[in-house]
Amino acid sequence: MKLKNFNKQDLANLIGLLLTDGSVRFGSRTYRIIYAGKSEELHKIFRNLMKRLFGLKNFYERIDNKGVKITQYSSKETGEILVNLCNTLKTKSLQTYPITYPKIKLDIFKELTRNELKEVFKLMFSADGGVVLGVKWHKRFNKWELTRRVILKCSHPGLRKFYRNLLKQKLDINTKEWDSSIAIDTKNDLYKFAKEIRFVNNLKVSDKSLYWKGYEKNKVLDVLLKTYQVKPDIWKSFKNQIDVLNFIRRLN
């Protein structure tokens, strides 16, 4: 089977989704190409990519026991194309000691232009990443301190290194490794992320968020940037965390 309509951007976008909240699994004589997530917008993007690239229209949907939506296609030929292109799309550690991870080949990402790569990272950060804007008390300086970062979850250390190099070399965005994730947490780099990448529009923050459940990711990102415009001394004036959060939310 050949790609119905080879488009490097579409193919890289699809691989980006599969490496974050997706998977390609072989079983019962066929491959299952799966996307799992709560955002209907990302499921729509996934379905459109599968249709444009492979002409696949028939898919299966369900909701798992955690309330996560699953969109699945079954196609041996499509699975073989994707696996052959990347060697594997499995990101979890292998059952070995010492722990090793599968070798994933992402030459297609290296071939992307700056603008094409921005679109891939937009999908990846949207699917398995987010924006963190929190507040905690700093005893030493006797004031409230903000936690400001954008993250992309990635348990595969080789992929983390690969993504970080791409972000630095092609988009000039510096990152750190933080809790099995890639983190962007400096003022300049957060501004670059907001200008160059951002999140898919209308995506909501995860229900796991302590402070921003129900808010759009891009709106929280914009509020985060606005906190840099506030005079630093103002954080000393608040008596409790709720007052700080309410002030931050009014920056929207």
Side-chain angles (χ1 to χ4, degrees), residues 68-231:
V68 177
K69 183 175 180 178
I70 310 292
T71 298
Q72 175 181 313
Y73 292 85
S74 294
S75 171
K76 183 179 179 181
E77 295 83 359
T78 299
E80 287 177 345
I81 289 174
L82 293 169
V83 169
N84 289 336
L85 183 67
C86 301
N87 185 51
T88 180
L89 286 156
K90 295 178 180 179
T91 60
K92 293 183 179 180
S93 60
L94 303 174
Q95 301 299 315
T96 59
Y97 183 83
I99 294 174
T100 59
Y101 287 80
K103 294 182 179 180
I104 302 172
K105 185 174 68 173
L106 292 177
D107 291 344
I108 188 172
F109 280 20
K110 298 177 183 178
E111 298 169 1
L112 298 175
T113 65
R114 177 186 176 90
N115 287 333
E116 289 169 341
L117 189 62
K118 287 192 291 188
E119 289 301 310
V120 175
F121 274 123
K122 180 192 290 286
L123 286 177
M124 295 179 71
F125 275 94
S126 298
D128 209 11
V131 53
V132 178
L133 178 55
V135 58
K136 59 184 178 181
W137 181 253
H138 197 298
K139 291 183 180 180
R140 181 181 176 186
F141 296 110
N142 195 36
K143 68 173 185 177
W144 295 102
E145 186 176 75
L146 301 187
T147 300
R148 292 174 281 211
R149 67 172 65 98
V150 168
I151 63 169
L152 172 61
K153 297 176 184 177
C154 181
S155 61
H156 192 301
L159 285 182
R160 287 200 302 272
K161 181 178 180 180
F162 180 75
Y163 296 154
R164 292 183 65 202
N165 286 338
L166 283 178
L167 285 164
K168 175 59 179 175
Q169 293 169 6
K170 290 206 171 185
L171 301 181
D172 195 29
I173 295 177
N174 297 292
T175 61
K176 299 175 182 177
E177 292 205 21
W178 177 78
D179 193 24
S180 296
S181 299
I182 294 168
I184 302 169
D185 64 359
T186 68
K187 179 179 177 180
N188 286 341
D189 292 305
L190 286 166
Y191 269 95
K192 288 177 187 176
F193 176 87
K195 179 181 179 181
E196 302 290 342
I197 299 176
R198 297 182 69 80
F199 301 98
V200 172
N201 287 333
N202 302 319
L203 251 62
K204 298 294 180 68
V205 173
S206 167
D207 291 345
K208 298 178 182 179
S209 173
L210 292 175
Y211 310 127
W212 302 100
K213 177 181 177 180
Y215 284 77
E216 290 183 20
K217 289 184 178 183
N218 278 327
K219 289 189 178 298
V220 180
L221 177 63
D222 291 337
V223 170
L224 182 155
L225 298 182
K226 288 180 181 179
T227 64
Y228 284 114
Q229 302 170 16
V230 176
K231 293 181 179 179

Side-chain angles (χ1 to χ4, degrees), residues 21-22 34-39 43 61-71 127 206-208:
D21 277 348
I34 299 168
Y35 181 76
K38 292 188 176 181
S39 166
H43 280 273
E61 289 184 331
R62 65 181 177 88
I63 305 295
D64 69 9
N65 55 13
K66 295 182 180 179
V68 177
K69 183 175 180 178
I70 310 292
T71 298
S206 167
D207 291 345
K208 298 178 182 179

